[in-house]
Amino acid sequence: MRELNRCPFCGGEKLKIEKKSALAGFNGLGERVENHTFSVRCNICHARGGVSGGKVIANRHFGTRDAPDWATTDEVLKKRAIDAWNRRVSNGV
């Protein structure tokens, strides 16, 4: 996992990657579809980074068939949340 930058507000290093999920329904194959969101939060000043969210097929193993275009994975969403937290105005990104 990519390293998290210190909190831009308090300089804290006590950071947490939070995940929230909610049922979105079921796909045509009877698989559970969930909305997952990830964000980084500072446990000192409670600042929160940008939220990354998408639809994830729960307990799916994509080795047997390709994922639909609308589906994503927790790893992709977590990486996006970390990138949003690490983005700073000073680095021009």
Side-chain angles (χ1 to χ4, degrees):
M1 179 173 66
R2 187 172 171 192
E3 185 175 325
L4 292 167
N5 291 345
R6 297 169 76 97
C7 178
F9 301 102
C10 72
E13 293 181 332
K14 288 188 170 189
L15 306 170
K16 177 181 180 180
I17 299 174
E18 291 187 332
K19 173 186 174 184
K20 294 184 180 180
S21 63
L23 177 64
F26 294 86
N27 66 9
L29 301 172
E31 297 169 315
R32 181 182 174 99
V33 178
E34 298 178 349
N35 285 320
H36 288 189
T37 58
F38 285 85
S39 63
V40 177
R41 182 174 65 97
C42 175
N43 285 334
I44 296 171
C45 73
H46 305 290
R48 186 179 305 272
V51 176
S52 172
K55 289 187 164 105
V56 175
I57 300 175
N59 301 321
R60 177 137 193 223
H61 303 286
F62 292 112
T64 56
R65 42 184 202 275
D66 291 336
D69 291 340
W70 52 263
T72 189
T73 64
D74 283 345
E75 291 78 24
V76 169
L77 296 174
K78 190 182 295 187
K79 181 187 178 308
R80 288 180 188 163
I82 291 170
D83 288 346
W85 176 263
N86 286 341
R87 189 174 303 120
R88 302 288 191 263
V89 173
S90 61
N91 65 13
V93 178

